[in-house]
Amino acid sequence: MEATGILLRIGATFFFTVMVVFVKLLAEAIPLGQVVFFRSAIALIPLVLFLMWTRDFPSGLRTTRPLGHVLRCTMGCIALFASFASLKYLPLAHASIIGYLAPVIAVILARPLLGETVTGLRWFAVALGFLGMLVLVAPKLTATELDESYLIGVALALIMAVFTAGAKIQIRSLALTENAGAIAFYFAFTCSVAGALTVFWGWARPTPIELVYLCGAGLAGGVAHIMMTLALQHSEVSKLAPLEYLSLIFAVIADFALFKIVPDGAFYLSTLLIVIAMWTIAARDHRKTDTDRSVKAEYKQTSQT
């Protein structure tokens, strides 16, 4: 069971990397909204098939918290648009490491939104995470010639991290009462609709290879989400968490293999600082996950009596 969970988590990380590689390959040729639509709409196919296999479709889509889903989907959709937009300007590895700031930002948001107590150690982790980001960006800011496109990418990646943090907080709340499949389905559906609406601003006619990339991004994203869900059913969150960093390794490999980009020293120092910050925060989040599971189990038992 443990080995199965680990293999599924590695597979999920790999397919998420495949997804962002396809998106980056499309960045110059296909409008952003069109990419979001294909990624989300195509992802619904494996997701619905998976929900049918687990007998959660359509019954598992029922919800008692529609507004909660609206809030989660809105924040997640903004994060997805910003994430894909940033890939036009940033190497995959840089976009990935800035994305790791999401749990750090979630600490800041958790206090006003959830009323959580933030310890001194976690505030230190927040400071360390943002120091890591400054280390990454500083060489571009102090260069003789300002790299505006890179800074635009950093700004978009930061927007992605902020809204991802907000979405994660909302998911944490929804997961106490809602089916995981419903949370994923409504998010993909919302992003599909948002992406489709951009057709009024003009879509491109993709070439055959671009169409493969568009569909590939959707299938890879859908498969990755399913594998992530199955991994959590076979193993504990705390045991799977370290495997999240494989996404950075995969991104560095993809940058070198496809785009001939080699990370510099600032990237490695930034990665070290942000990873330490994530580990500091994750230590408490793993304990909270166990508590949330107990609360969810109690809620289910109460609702059945």
Side-chain angles (χ1 to χ4, degrees):
M1 293 288 285
E2 287 292 342
T4 301
I6 289 171
L7 289 174
L8 285 167
R9 184 63 178 88
I10 293 172
T13 304
F14 173 77
F15 278 106
F16 275 130
T17 303
V18 170
M19 179 193 75
V20 296
V21 166
F22 282 141
V23 172
K24 187 167 181 63
L25 289 170
L26 291 163
E28 298 291 341
I30 304 297
L32 176 61
Q34 188 174 357
V35 176
V36 170
F37 170 77
F38 273 87
R39 182 264 179 258
S40 303
I42 298 297
L44 282 171
I45 298 172
L47 180 58
V48 169
L49 290 175
F50 174 70
L51 291 174
M52 291 173 67
W53 177 60
T54 58
R55 298 182 181 179
D56 286 325
F57 188 86
S59 60
L61 302 183
R62 295 193 187 96
T63 178
T64 57
R65 301 174 60 186
L67 293 180
H69 283 284
V70 169
L71 181 58
R72 178 269 183 274
C73 291
T74 300
M75 291 189 292
C77 192
I78 294 172
L80 188 65
F81 269 86
S83 174
F84 286 3
S86 72
L87 293 174
K88 181 177 180 179
Y89 305 99
L90 296 177
L92 295 174
H94 286 223
S96 295
I97 195 60
I98 296 174
Y100 281 177
L101 287 173
V104 177
I105 296 171
V107 171
I108 302 173
L109 297 178
R111 184 176 179 85
L113 296 181
L114 298 178
E116 290 187 359
T117 301
V118 181
T119 64
L121 183 62
R122 299 193 85 188
W123 281 122
F124 171 74
V126 169
L128 199 63
F130 281 99
L131 176 62
M133 187 197 67
L134 289 176
V135 167
L136 184 68
V137 177
K140 303 294 183 181
L141 291 173
T142 57
T144 305
E145 195 169 324
L146 198 64
D147 190 343
E148 293 184 1
S149 64
Y150 181 85
L151 296 180
I152 290 172
V154 169
L156 288 167
L158 272 175
I159 292 172
M160 176 271 293
V162 170
F163 281 95
T164 297
K168 283 180 178 292
I169 289 175
Q170 187 61 19
I171 290 171
R172 182 186 300 173
S173 173
L174 286 171
L176 296 177
T177 60
E178 301 293 293
N179 185 296
I183 298 173
F185 176 87
Y186 290 127
F187 169 62
F189 179 77
T190 299
C191 291
S192 299
V193 173
L197 290 175
T198 65
V199 70
F200 297 108
W201 286 270
W203 278 13
R205 176 174 292 180
T207 64
I209 189 64
E210 288 168 350
L211 187 60
V212 170
Y213 292 162
L214 285 167
C215 294
L219 288 174
V223 170
H225 187 91
I226 291 169
M227 294 182 80
M228 178 78 76
T229 301
L230 290 173
L232 292 172
Q233 293 176 1
H234 286 85
S235 188
E236 297 174 4
V237 174
S238 58
K239 292 181 179 179
L240 296 176
L243 299 174
E244 183 175 349
Y245 304 114
L246 284 174
S247 64
L248 194 57
I249 296 173
F250 290 154
V252 169
I253 294 172
D255 273 336
F256 178 75
L258 299 175
F259 309 107
K260 307 304 178 186
I261 298 173
V262 179
D264 56 14
F267 169 79
Y268 294 109
L269 178 56
S270 172
T271 299
L272 177 63
L273 293 172
I274 292 176
V275 166
I276 291 173
M278 284 185 64
W279 268 105
T280 303
I281 291 166
R284 182 175 181 275
D285 283 346
H286 294 157
R287 291 194 295 270
K288 180 171 178 58
T289 298
D290 292 336
T291 302
D292 287 348
R293 285 176 175 172
S294 298
V295 172
K296 185 172 182 178
E298 183 179 345
Y299 172 87
K300 285 185 175 180
Q301 184 177 5
T302 303
S303 65
Q304 292 170 357
T305 57

